[in-house]
């Protein structure tokens, strides 16, 4: 059987990190003797420039029929002033919506070799192992909106069904971990948050009696992520809160460039992407950190291709590079150990074994 993976390099550093992720996927498929067909397609600004649409119909068609999708990054200053439907981000948001990818998983672990690179003191980082579960197809990102010259609005909407399905996923994931879920909301102010809190309570009372559930306000969550990050296990959020808190949480690990993510629906292909953006300031220099992208391949192997052993192998190879003291410039603390994006890829490949 041949599996198919679509790669969407996108913009900025997207193509650079996608190149390394693709090499790793190719190498692991050879090691596994698994036939994987990799098909590259356009998204974001690159698609706008070449066909005038951030999510071309052909890209969507390839994605729908694939087993899994990998995305580099979208966006950049070149398209910053475009109308909403002509922004690169619409490509990614449209893809999430069209494929029903309602759950975004962002694991945050601190690699022991990087304890000193984090912005936090090492003693606060001991035991940090967070899984952010972010609702991805609702809320402010997809509510009614509008803008005139003197006025604009975005609305946040959530239905019980949307909250139930993401809560259930968070509960099931917590069962495979330390058995705790922290749900984030702003229930002291927002109606959507009050519905969120009540629905999460109902789902957990009915289906997850053995899971410890706590609720915290989003402003407090932002603080606790810095003051006691090791207390979190599964962190459940709506769309916008999850976007903000996941960038904050990435700083625990030392660099936004390190973290992978998986976006999953009820069925169909998953979408795997590093959580960093297109980083236009460093694009084209060959210095972007490909870790988040390569670790997204590990998540792709685990969640969409059912290859847990291969997923572990990719994680171990990345860990081996970091243990050897090799760093891209975002993490370099010692002169002389800085390597390029491609060399990081070479180092991962040379350590890859099943
Ligand atoms: C992310 C990104 C996206 C988001 C952007 C690029 C639309 O920041 O995946 O976190 O806001 O969801
Ligand atoms: Mg974000």
């Amino acid at each position: 059987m041949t599996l198919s993976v679509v790669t969407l390099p996108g913009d900025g550093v997207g193509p650079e990190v996608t190149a390394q992720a693709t090499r790793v996927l190719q190498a692991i498929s050879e090691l596994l003797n698994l036939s994987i067909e990799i098909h590259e397609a356009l998204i974001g600004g690159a698609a706008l420039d070449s066909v005038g649409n951030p999510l071309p119909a052909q890209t969507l068609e390839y994605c729908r029929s694939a087993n899994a999708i990998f995305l580099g990054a979208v966006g950049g200053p070149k398209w910053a002033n475009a109308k909403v439907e002509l922004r690169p981000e619409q490509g990614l948001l449209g893809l999430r919506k069209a494929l029903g990818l309602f759950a975004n998983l962002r694991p945050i672990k601190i690699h022991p070799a990087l304890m000193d690179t984090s912005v936090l003191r090492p003693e606060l980082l001991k035991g940090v192992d967070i899984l952010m579960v972010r609702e991805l197809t609702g809320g402010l990102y997809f509510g009614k909106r509008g803008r005139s010259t003197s006025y604009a609005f975005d609305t946040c909407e959530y239905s019980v069904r949307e909250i139930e399905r993401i809560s259930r996923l968070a509960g099931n994931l917590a069962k495979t971990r330390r058995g705790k879920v922290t749900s984030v909301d702003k229930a002291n102010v927002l109606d959507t948050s009050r519905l969120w809190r009540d629905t999460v309570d109902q789902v957990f009372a009915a289906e997850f009696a053995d899971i410890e559930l706590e609720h915290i306000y989003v402003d407090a969550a932002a603080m606790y992520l810095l003051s006691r990050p090791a207390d979190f296990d599964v962190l459940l959020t709506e769309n916008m809160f999850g976007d903000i808190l996941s960038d904050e949480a990435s700083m625990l690990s030392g660099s936004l460039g390190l973290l992978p993510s998986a976006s999953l629906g009820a069925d169909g292909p998953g979408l795997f992407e590093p959580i960093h953006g297109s980083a236009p300031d460093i694009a084209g220099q060959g210095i972007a950190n490909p870790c988040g992208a390569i670790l997204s391949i590990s998540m792709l192997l685990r969640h969409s291709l059912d290859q847990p052993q291969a997923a572990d192998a990719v994680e171990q190879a990345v860990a081996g590079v970091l243990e050897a003291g090799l760093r891209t410039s975002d993490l370099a603390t010692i002169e002389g150990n800085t390597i390029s994006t491609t060399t990081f890829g070479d180092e991962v490949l040379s350590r890859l074994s099943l």
Side-chain angles (χ1 to χ4, degrees), residues 74 89 92-93 96 106 134 136 141 243 247 273 275:
V74 291
E89 288 80 359
L92 174 56
L93 297 175
R96 289 174 178 168
R106 299 187 163 182
R134 167 188 174 195
L136 204 60
Y141 277 60
D243 180 47
D247 270 30
E273 51 171 322
I275 81 157

Side-chain angles (χ1 to χ4, degrees), residues 152-171:
F153 67 96
D154 297 278
T155 49
C156 184
E157 299 178 44
Y158 267 108
S159 67
V160 165
R161 181 183 149 267
E162 286 174 308
I163 305 168
E164 277 174 354
R165 65 182 179 182
I166 193 77
S167 305
R168 203 163 277 138
L169 188 90

Side-chain angles (χ1 to χ4, degrees), residues 27-345:
I28 204 87
S29 69
E30 276 158 33
L31 285 175
L32 285 167
N33 220 348
L34 196 70
S35 158
I36 302 184
E37 205 176 74
I38 302 176
H39 198 108
E40 192 176 297
L42 289 167
I43 198 162
L48 273 166
D49 286 353
S50 106
V51 297
N53 178 348
L55 180 59
Q58 174 140 75
T59 296
L60 190 55
E61 200 182 302
Y62 287 145
C63 289
R64 280 194 203 284
S65 56
N67 294 98
I69 306 155
F70 174 90
L71 182 137
V74 291
K78 184 174 174 194
W79 308 278
N81 297 318
K83 282 196 295 191
V84 95
E85 58 287 5
L86 293 180
R87 288 189 59 109
E89 288 80 359
Q90 286 308 311
L92 174 56
L93 297 175
L95 189 59
R96 289 174 178 168
K97 196 69 172 179
L99 299 179
L101 305 172
F102 68 88
N104 183 225
L105 314 186
R106 299 187 163 182
I108 296 137
K109 270 194 225 167
I110 321 297
H111 193 279
L114 295 179
M115 284 286 183
D116 293 331
T117 3
S118 170
V119 292
L120 286 195
R121 293 192 304 277
E123 65 265 30
L124 284 170
L125 295 171
K126 240 179 116 233
V128 168
D129 181 359
I130 303 172
L131 178 62
M132 296 206 50
V133 177
R134 167 188 174 195
E135 200 291 326
L136 204 60
T137 49
L140 272 173
Y141 277 60
F142 294 96
K144 291 181 204 73
R145 64 174 63 199
R147 178 172 169 180
S148 68
T149 42
S150 57
Y151 174 77
F153 67 96
D154 297 278
T155 49
C156 184
E157 299 178 44
Y158 267 108
S159 67
V160 165
R161 181 183 149 267
E162 286 174 308
I163 305 168
E164 277 174 354
R165 65 182 179 182
I166 193 77
S167 305
R168 203 163 277 138
L169 188 90
N172 282 322
L173 288 165
K175 278 188 186 168
T176 68
R177 298 172 47 94
R178 304 198 303 282
K180 179 176 171 187
V181 172
T182 303
S183 174
V184 174
D185 62 43
K186 189 73 184 171
N188 50 345
V189 177
L190 302 174
D191 266 329
T192 40
S193 280
R194 286 188 274 272
L195 184 72
W196 181 277
R197 192 175 280 223
D198 291 347
T199 308
V200 172
D201 272 337
Q202 275 158 20
V203 168
F204 278 75
E207 298 171 35
F208 301 101
D210 47 343
I211 298 290
E212 183 191 343
L213 173 68
E214 69 175 0
H215 299 280
I216 55 177
Y217 297 141
V218 62
D219 46 356
M223 177 175 66
Y224 295 143
L225 271 173
L226 301 182
S227 62
R228 49 176 183 83
D231 287 357
F232 292 110
D233 179 11
V234 173
L235 194 59
L236 169 64
T237 75
E238 62 90 78
N239 201 349
M240 180 67 133
F241 296 159
D243 180 47
I244 298 169
L245 292 180
S246 60
D247 270 30
E248 183 194 359
S250 78
M251 280 294 101
L252 303 172
S253 76
S255 168
L256 189 57
L258 287 168
L259 298 183
S261 82
S263 303
L264 308 172
D267 46 32
L271 169 68
F272 302 84
E273 51 171 322
I275 81 157
H276 64 73
S278 60
D281 52 324
I282 61 160
Q285 298 175 32
I287 60 170
N289 186 344
C291 264
I294 295 171
L295 292 172
S296 297
I297 292 295
S298 166
M299 293 190 87
L300 181 154
L301 289 161
R302 197 180 303 282
H303 293 281
S304 279
L305 302 190
D306 198 21
Q307 298 291 337
Q309 201 200 341
D312 291 343
V314 172
E315 279 176 18
Q316 276 155 22
V318 170
V321 179
L322 297 174
E323 274 150 29
L326 301 168
R327 310 271 185 272
T328 40
S329 59
D330 52 325
L331 288 170
T333 47
I334 308 161
E335 222 170 303
N337 70 353
T338 310
I339 58 174
S340 70
T341 311
T342 312
T343 309
F344 199 100

